[in-house]
Amino acid sequence: IDNRTAKDKIKNYSGWLEKIAQSESNLLILGARGTGKSELANNYSALIHNLLGKFDFKFIQPKPDDFSVFYIGNKAIKPDYLGFQSIAGCSSAYEGLEVLNATIHARLEDNTIRMNSGLKCQDWSPQYWLIDEFQQLILQAESFEQKPREVSLSIKNAVSLGRSLKVYVLAIGQVPNVSQFPGWNKADFSQYVQIYLGDAIKVGIDYSIDKGEEIELKNDFEVFRNSDIKYYGLIREMGKKGYIAQLPNAREYFTESSHIIPDNPHHPTSSQELEVIQNKVLSPSHHITSQPITQSKSQVLECPNCGSFESVKNGKNRRKCKKCNKTFSE
């Protein structure tokens, strides 16, 4: 007779989120509201900040609301790209996807030129892109003059190409079924470290790599459901079998000493006044392409000194970085 309580039967996977943060992987978090997605993402961002100290972070938020609050360090951040359509002073989430892919293609092009010339590829500065409610960008595409399949492939391509170029995606959504994404299949989820929360765990179990994993996960899931632990998830690291573990406590990895970041005009806190930026509203014909975007067409050039993508023309074939004030060749 096994007299242990359900909680006593739970396997110990302490430190699992730290290991994922160190792996430099894309991360996929799926689950309904209230299952702990935002807190988990905040802990993950805290770990990335503790590991890297300084990195470039971009935030795409298609659905404006006050429920999902994200932090870098100990500062709340505002989206770089907000809403389904551009308005004055605010670039849309769809524009954010274009910039994400343009960044990747610019780095690919640079590597190609360097390798063709017998040079080493650049040691790129890491970029982390948080895409909240990423599935809504696909599901709502037609309502905003976008093509669902092209948007879907844009996200898929960014994940499959970006990692080797140090461009990482943290995608958060509610729908765990891959069949909802045009052009995707279960193998595409393997490009991410997958985390399923709440009822989404059942779908994650269905995506087991073999019957043995499925049986083990079902047994562990039942143990957690009979315990008094509220927040837990199914974690499947890249190329490995899944396991079910307790989520970290809220802000568990937030530390005052190593977690303070300077004010950044691109991520103003609530006490900062937002700078008004005049943006052109996209025409109905504007759409996301899944084809490679070259530097000459996209005009997204990365500063080789600091990694910023904001620069101005400074002579023939020269640009000046707005962030570090250094000039570089186009």
Side-chain angles (χ1 to χ4, degrees):
I1 299 175
D2 191 343
N3 293 321
R4 293 179 299 167
T5 65
K7 194 169 185 177
D8 292 333
K9 298 177 184 178
I10 290 173
K11 299 171 185 176
N12 182 15
Y13 293 102
S14 60
W16 61 268
L17 189 60
E18 297 174 55
K19 184 168 61 172
I20 290 172
Q22 293 168 352
S23 70
E24 298 182 330
S25 302
N26 299 302
L27 182 59
L28 177 67
I29 303 177
L30 297 168
R33 284 193 183 276
T35 54
K37 297 194 304 292
S38 297
E39 288 294 348
L40 181 59
N42 287 332
N43 269 315
Y44 180 74
S45 298
L47 282 167
I48 296 298
H49 184 267
N50 289 339
L51 287 169
L52 299 179
K54 181 181 179 181
F55 61 97
D56 197 8
F57 185 89
K58 302 293 182 182
F59 180 15
I60 298 175
Q61 173 62 282
K63 290 175 62 177
D65 61 44
D66 295 324
F67 294 101
S68 299
V69 180
F70 296 97
Y71 292 82
I72 295 241
N74 55 5
K75 294 183 181 295
I77 59 171
K78 293 184 180 295
D80 298 274
Y81 306 95
L82 179 64
F84 292 101
Q85 53 189 347
S86 297
I87 60 175
C90 185
S91 299
S92 74
Y94 291 113
E95 287 183 282
L97 285 184
E98 286 199 331
V99 175
L100 168 58
N101 278 278
T103 299
I104 291 170
H105 291 306
R107 292 188 176 192
L108 279 172
E109 184 177 334
D110 186 90
N111 277 1
T112 302
I113 294 172
R114 285 174 175 271
M115 292 187 70
N116 189 51
S117 303
L119 301 173
K120 290 184 177 180
C121 296
Q122 283 203 50
D123 183 17
W124 303 104
S125 58
Q127 278 196 4
Y128 282 81
W129 288 73
L130 169 60
I131 310 177
D132 192 24
E133 300 286 359
F134 79 100
Q135 295 145 327
Q136 292 299 325
L137 287 171
I138 303 170
L139 298 175
Q140 303 297 329
E142 291 183 341
S143 300
F144 297 96
E145 307 294 336
Q146 306 289 336
K147 295 181 179 180
R149 186 175 182 83
E150 289 188 355
V151 174
S152 181
L153 291 177
S154 177
I155 298 171
K156 175 181 171 179
N157 291 343
V159 171
S160 62
L161 294 174
R163 188 183 180 204
S164 63
L165 301 164
K166 292 190 177 181
V167 179
Y168 310 105
V169 174
L170 166 53
I172 301 176
Q174 297 190 38
V175 182
N177 197 328
V178 73
S179 64
Q180 298 292 319
F181 316 141
W184 287 43
N185 55 50
K186 288 192 292 185
D188 294 314
F189 272 14
S190 65
Q191 299 287 336
Y192 295 90
V193 172
Q194 307 156 50
I195 302 180
Y196 302 86
L197 306 178
D199 286 341
I201 292 175
K202 299 174 184 177
V203 178
I205 293 175
D206 290 340
Y207 292 163
S208 297
I209 60 176
D210 56 38
K211 193 65 177 178
E213 180 190 12
E214 181 181 351
I215 293 172
E216 184 175 356
L217 288 175
K218 284 183 176 178
N219 291 335
D220 291 345
F221 184 38
E222 196 62 28
V223 170
F224 269 95
R225 292 177 68 178
N226 292 324
S227 72
D228 59 354
I229 296 175
K230 183 177 180 181
Y231 296 107
Y232 55 90
L234 189 166
I235 299 94
R236 185 173 286 117
E237 299 173 39
M238 295 177 64
K240 298 181 180 179
K241 290 186 176 182
Y243 54 89
I244 298 180
Q246 186 173 357
L247 302 186
N249 297 323
R251 302 197 181 192
E252 180 172 327
Y253 293 103
F254 283 43
T255 57
E256 292 299 328
S257 59
S258 62
H259 227 87
I260 298 176
I261 60 172
D263 289 339
N264 187 325
H266 298 291
H267 305 298
T269 64
S270 56
S271 62
Q272 292 175 288
E273 183 177 348
L274 285 170
E275 179 185 2
V276 177
I277 305 172
Q278 298 299 326
N279 287 331
K280 183 184 291 185
V281 178
L282 298 179
S283 66
S285 62
H286 184 83
H287 66 275
I288 293 176
T289 176
S290 59
Q291 300 300 317
I293 304 171
T294 64
Q295 286 183 334
S296 60
K297 291 182 180 179
S298 66
Q299 296 300 311
V300 179
L301 299 178
E302 182 174 23
C303 173
N305 302 297
C306 69
S308 173
F309 286 87
E310 297 186 64
S311 60
V312 294
K313 197 79 174 175
N314 192 33
K316 186 177 181 180
N317 298 325
R318 301 286 293 174
R319 299 190 72 86
K320 183 175 182 180
C321 178
K322 290 184 179 181
K323 188 173 181 180
C324 66
N325 291 324
K326 295 182 179 179
T327 58
F328 60 95
S329 300
E330 292 185 348

